[in-house]
Amino acid sequence: MIIIVDLLLMLIDLTYSILHAIIQTFLRPRLKCIDGELCLITGAGGALGRLFALEFAKEGSHLVLWDCNTAANEQTAEMARELGVQVHAYTVDLSKRLSIYETADRVRAEVGEVSILVNNAGVVAGRRLLDCPDELLERTMLVNCHALFWMTKAFLPQMKEKNHGHLVTIASALGLFSTACVEDYCASKFGAVGFHESLTHDLLAEDMNGIKTTLVCPYIVDTGMFAGCEIRKELRSLIPPLEPLYTVQESMKAILGEQQMICIPRIMYIPFLTRALLPWEANLATYRFMGGDKCMLPFIKNVELKTSNGHIKP
């Protein structure tokens, strides 16, 4: 009898969730106020990180900015300060666990308790697997995936004490489905997605309903990170690289609307679903038709040229 009652309750929750998602698709959800919250953003010296910092500053959040590039991070900090919020910039190597923990201790002592954590930092080796130095492969995993563990362990306990906070993971569409020649990046982003989803289930199981989570999975963003990446020429206008500002603004809507997951653009939900529903051969045929099997080759070639010219350290 108990299982029948639980089944009925599950069906009610399922129906409500579907209807709620449909309504949110057509009606703008109510956005929460984050004025006065303390928001930490990793990779704040990069294109997306800087835009996230400015958008959170516009909402009135005070900022803690982390990046390995001191000059770029300070530039972001100056731009955010002009919007009237408090900004604290720290130079951090996210590939080093102790660097994360030590800087987290400094943030708590010097600034206060972080209530919004945006794990935005990301890297890619840009080499074919068999040609790639092990150190670069490890760095991708450390920054894109392992750092999420250490960041969460550093800042989640304070959120749990108050049952208040928001964890944001900037993953990738390549964490939902894969492509050739970027094994390190795909593996790290699949790991990031899995980590984020498991953590969300963990919080819900503990009834930590005041701690929200948002998973952001954008298509290739035009920041230069994947410069040269191209799908089939006839389809490029259908799925062009995303503008950074558009990506961040759509992400902010999801974060402020407490949306659990967003794919940008919405068409990215299609390959995510077909990957699970269609046979491997069917997905492979579509993938090759779109030029996905060779889309990263120009990007790899660009990285090789920059490396040979001394613009990137080998």
Side-chain angles (χ1 to χ4, degrees), residues 10 16 115 170 198 218 242 301 305:
M10 185 271 289
Y16 170 80
S115 56
I170 309 301
S198 180
L242 297 171
K301 190 171 184 62
L305 287 172

Side-chain angles (χ1 to χ4, degrees), residues 4-300:
I4 295 175
V5 174
D6 287 345
L7 178 60
L8 289 173
L9 290 174
M10 185 271 289
L11 291 173
I12 291 172
D13 286 343
L14 181 64
T15 303
Y16 170 80
S17 299
I18 293 172
L19 291 174
H20 185 259
I22 292 172
I23 291 171
Q24 278 198 320
T25 301
F26 297 100
L27 298 178
R28 180 169 179 165
R30 180 180 298 175
L31 304 182
K32 68 179 178 181
C33 175
I34 55 172
D35 184 56
E37 300 279 356
L38 184 59
C39 173
L40 189 156
I41 302 169
T42 64
L48 288 184
R50 178 167 296 169
L51 290 170
F52 270 117
L54 297 177
E55 291 298 317
F56 275 102
K58 289 175 186 176
E59 296 293 330
S61 292
H62 301 302
L63 302 176
V64 175
L65 306 180
W66 283 19
D67 202 283
C68 61
N69 186 325
T70 303
N73 203 29
E74 285 293 345
Q75 188 176 7
T76 300
E78 286 301 318
M79 295 171 70
R81 289 187 185 108
E82 292 177 1
L83 297 174
V85 298
Q86 297 175 21
V87 184
H88 304 264
Y90 294 83
T91 301
V92 189
D93 185 351
L94 291 178
S95 69
K96 292 181 169 54
R97 183 176 71 253
L98 289 181
S99 178
I100 291 174
Y101 285 158
E102 289 171 0
T103 311
D105 288 340
R106 286 183 58 198
V107 169
R108 280 189 291 273
E110 298 170 6
V111 187
E113 295 181 356
V114 170
S115 56
I116 302 174
L117 175 60
V118 182
N119 285 305
N120 163 75
V123 296
V124 63
R127 315 282 181 88
R128 299 295 293 268
L129 177 63
L130 299 183
D131 299 328
C132 187
D134 293 349
E135 294 78 11
L136 289 182
L137 295 173
E138 289 179 334
R139 180 171 175 263
T140 301
M141 295 302 298
L142 289 169
V143 174
N144 296 3
C145 184
H146 294 185
L148 303 181
F149 290 80
W150 321 138
M151 294 295 294
T152 302
K153 291 186 73 174
F155 294 105
L156 181 58
Q158 296 77 41
M159 296 184 190
K160 292 181 74 172
E161 285 178 7
K162 298 180 178 179
N163 191 21
H164 174 76
H166 202 137
L167 301 169
V168 182
T169 302
I170 309 301
S172 170
L174 293 180
L176 303 174
F177 52 87
S178 59
T179 191
C181 302
V182 281
E183 291 86 351
D184 62 318
Y185 190 79
C186 289
S188 69
K189 291 302 183 179
F190 266 80
V193 170
F195 171 83
H196 180 97
E197 290 183 348
S198 180
L199 178 61
T200 300
H201 287 305
D202 193 353
L203 292 170
L204 292 174
E206 292 186 78
D207 292 324
M208 289 288 164
N209 298 318
I211 302 177
K212 308 301 179 182
T213 65
T214 299
L215 174 65
V216 181
C217 295
Y219 176 60
I220 302 298
V221 185
D222 191 14
T223 61
M225 186 176 186
F226 287 99
C229 173
E230 295 177 337
I231 60 172
R232 184 170 180 160
K233 185 168 70 172
E234 295 87 349
L235 300 176
R236 288 173 199 165
S237 60
L238 177 64
I239 318 177
L242 297 171
E243 288 293 328
L245 181 58
Y246 170 78
T247 304
V248 170
Q249 288 175 338
E250 290 298 300
S251 301
M252 288 298 295
K253 290 177 187 176
I255 294 166
L256 298 179
E258 297 183 342
Q259 185 175 333
Q260 284 83 5
M261 176 185 177
I262 181 171
C263 290
I264 310 171
R266 290 185 182 276
I267 197 172
M268 288 297 107
Y269 287 105
I270 296 176
F272 172 47
L273 292 172
T274 58
R275 181 178 182 273
L277 297 175
L278 295 181
W280 167 260
E281 291 79 6
N283 281 305
L284 183 61
T286 306
Y287 170 70
R288 287 177 171 170
F289 171 77
M290 297 186 68
D293 55 335
K294 299 177 181 177
C295 69
M296 288 293 176
L297 293 179
F299 158 64
I300 300 288

